[in-house]
């Protein structure tokens, strides 16, 4: 009812477990999905990973999967907003790694739900990279990791610089000022970084950096 009350939004379906969510992604091809972290049969994190992994695979790889496991590669990749009861839960970190574009609390206001849908559809995250860094730092602070420089070896020297600045939660404007480049150039580098590292969002840049010991 909330979504259908908006002239620019259309409700295309609901799923009550993770496996049904995967089928819904394949059949309805939604632009945005609100995904509960905890669902029966298959949790929302694994469902998100399968949906997004499928849309990033070439057709030859997809054909080897069961149609019940994932959406087809022709489907546009949906933006996924996770519904959670505790934003600093370890499950939130897992969801970031899976490719979630944002998080909202289950008790948030209807207005914020609508704003979140429009925000991720526009290509932004509903959780700031700086907040993401705090969450992931809290979850990885007890683990000592040797820096894995090879994890970003595909990047150029300038892209590595932008990667590390983005991983620290800096905005495009802050990165541009720090690296002495334009915001347009920052955006271009971010797009290239995401493509080369097979990441889906800026929040995954943060996760990638911490998981590979590139930030402390």
């Amino acid at each position: 009812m909330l979504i259908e009350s908006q002239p620019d939004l259309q409700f295309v379906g609901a799923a009550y477990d993770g496996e049904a969510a995967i089928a819904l992604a394949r059949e309805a091809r939604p632009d945005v999905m609100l995904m509960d972290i905890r669902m029966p049969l298959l949790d929302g994190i694994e469902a998100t990973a399968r949906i997004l992994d499928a849309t990033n695979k070439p057709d030859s790889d997809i054909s080897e999967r069961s149609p019940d496991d994932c959406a087809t590669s022709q489907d546009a990749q949906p933006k996924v907003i996770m519904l959670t009861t505790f934003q600093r839960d370890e499950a939130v970190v897992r969801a970031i790694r899976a490719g979630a574009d944002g998080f909202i609390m289950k008790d948030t206001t209807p207005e914020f739900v609508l704003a979140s849908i429009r925000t991720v559809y526009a290509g932004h995250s509903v959780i700031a990279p700086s907040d993401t860094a705090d969450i992931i730092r809290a979850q990885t602070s007890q683990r000592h990791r040797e820096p894995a420089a090879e994890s970003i070896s595909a990047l150029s020297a300038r892209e590595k610089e932008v990667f590390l600045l983005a991983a620290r939660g800096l905005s495009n404007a802050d990165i541009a000022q720090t690296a002495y480049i334009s915001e347009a150039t920052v955006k271009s580098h971010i797009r290239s970084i995401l493509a080369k590292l097979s990441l889906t969002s800026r929040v995954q840049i943060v996760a990638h950096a911490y998981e590979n010991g590139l930030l402390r």
Side-chain angles (χ1 to χ4, degrees):
M1 291 174 61
L2 174 65
I3 293 172
E4 289 287 11
S5 71
Q6 304 299 300
D8 61 326
L9 302 179
Q10 179 183 2
F11 179 75
V12 297
Y16 300 98
D17 61 64
E19 292 182 356
I22 293 171
L24 178 66
R26 182 181 65 251
E27 295 162 6
R29 301 185 181 184
D31 295 309
V32 177
M33 297 185 75
L34 298 176
M35 185 82 75
D36 197 337
I37 283 183
R38 294 173 176 82
M39 292 191 294
L41 299 183
L42 190 70
D43 69 38
I45 298 170
E46 179 61 24
T48 296
R50 293 193 193 183
I51 290 167
L52 300 183
D53 181 60
T55 55
N56 283 325
K57 294 283 188 179
D59 289 344
S60 58
D61 291 335
I62 292 297
S63 65
E64 297 174 3
R65 290 169 166 246
S66 165
D68 291 330
D69 287 340
C70 56
T72 65
S73 60
Q74 286 79 17
D75 293 346
Q77 188 178 67
K79 304 290 187 179
V80 179
I81 301 173
M82 305 300 298
L83 298 170
T84 181
T85 54
F86 184 51
Q87 192 159 303
R88 293 187 180 272
D89 191 347
E90 188 273 337
V92 171
V93 178
R94 290 175 51 219
I96 290 171
R97 295 175 188 138
D101 296 278
F103 305 86
I104 58 177
M105 307 299 285
K106 290 184 178 180
D107 60 356
T108 194
T109 65
E111 292 77 16
F112 192 78
V113 172
L114 294 172
S116 298
I117 292 171
R118 295 184 176 104
T119 296
V120 299
Y121 178 71
H124 306 291
S125 297
V126 177
I127 182 172
S130 56
D131 293 335
T132 305
D134 290 340
I135 294 170
I136 296 174
R137 188 183 300 113
Q139 294 294 331
T140 60
S141 60
Q142 302 305 315
R143 300 178 236 163
H144 177 72
R145 294 178 180 274
E146 290 299 322
E150 68 277 4
S151 67
I152 57 171
S153 61
L155 306 182
S156 68
R158 178 63 90 175
E159 287 170 345
K160 289 177 182 177
E161 180 184 7
V162 172
F163 171 91
L164 292 173
L165 292 171
R168 291 188 174 94
L170 272 66
S171 67
N172 285 350
D174 289 337
I175 293 173
Q177 184 176 15
T178 302
Y180 300 102
I181 55 179
S182 69
E183 286 192 51
T185 301
V186 173
K187 292 178 182 178
S188 176
H189 283 319
I190 292 292
R191 285 194 297 270
S192 178
I193 289 166
L194 294 175
K196 288 182 178 181
L197 300 182
S198 298
L199 304 177
T200 61
S201 67
R202 290 175 71 105
V203 292
Q204 278 203 332
I205 288 178
V206 179
H208 188 84
Y210 277 97
E211 282 297 296
N212 288 283
L214 301 176
L215 292 178
R216 299 295 183 191

